[in-house]
């Protein structure tokens, strides 16, 4: 799946738009069995991206993702 993923040529104007671009691409490239299992959750996720004041939640999610990447890549925990 990741080998089919590429960043959009034209970035969205806001964090929210850029997250939507990335999320759409990830969701489109999910294997069919995963899409079927996810069902309505995919639609709920897409709707959640349209809430106002979503930037803080995006920032929090990105920080958590950075922690996970550091853990996997370097074996470090947050704050080390």
């Amino acid at each position: 799946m990741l080998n089919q993923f590429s960043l959009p040529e034209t970035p969205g104007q806001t964090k929210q738009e850029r997250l939507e671009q990335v999320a759409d691409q990830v969701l489109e490239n999910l294997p069919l069995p995963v899409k079927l299992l996810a069902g309505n959750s995919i639609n709920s996720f897409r709707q959640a991206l349209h809430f106002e004041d979503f930037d803080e939640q995006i920032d929090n999610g990105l920080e958590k993702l950075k922690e996970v990447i550091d853990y996997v890549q370097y074996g470090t925990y947050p704050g080390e």
Side-chain angles (χ1 to χ4, degrees):
M1 183 179 111
L2 288 177
N3 60 349
Q4 297 173 3
F5 184 84
S6 61
L7 295 173
E9 290 182 27
T10 306
Q13 300 270 330
T14 65
K15 277 187 219 178
Q16 193 167 355
E17 290 173 357
R18 292 187 294 273
L19 179 60
E20 285 179 51
Q21 289 175 316
V22 171
D24 284 345
Q25 211 174 91
V26 168
L27 294 173
E28 286 172 17
N29 287 302
L30 287 174
L32 183 58
V34 174
K35 284 183 186 179
L36 293 175
L37 287 173
N40 291 335
S41 298
I42 291 175
N43 292 332
S44 296
F45 176 72
R46 283 191 166 137
Q47 289 173 351
L49 294 176
H50 295 285
F51 290 140
E52 291 184 26
D53 298 329
F54 198 62
D55 276 1
E56 185 177 337
Q57 292 179 20
I58 292 171
D59 290 341
N60 293 339
L62 290 172
E63 283 303 313
K64 190 63 171 175
L65 187 56
K66 288 176 189 175
E67 290 174 10
V68 170
I69 290 169
D70 284 348
Y71 173 77
V72 170
Q73 192 167 14
Y74 306 111
T76 59
Y77 291 93
E80 285 188 355

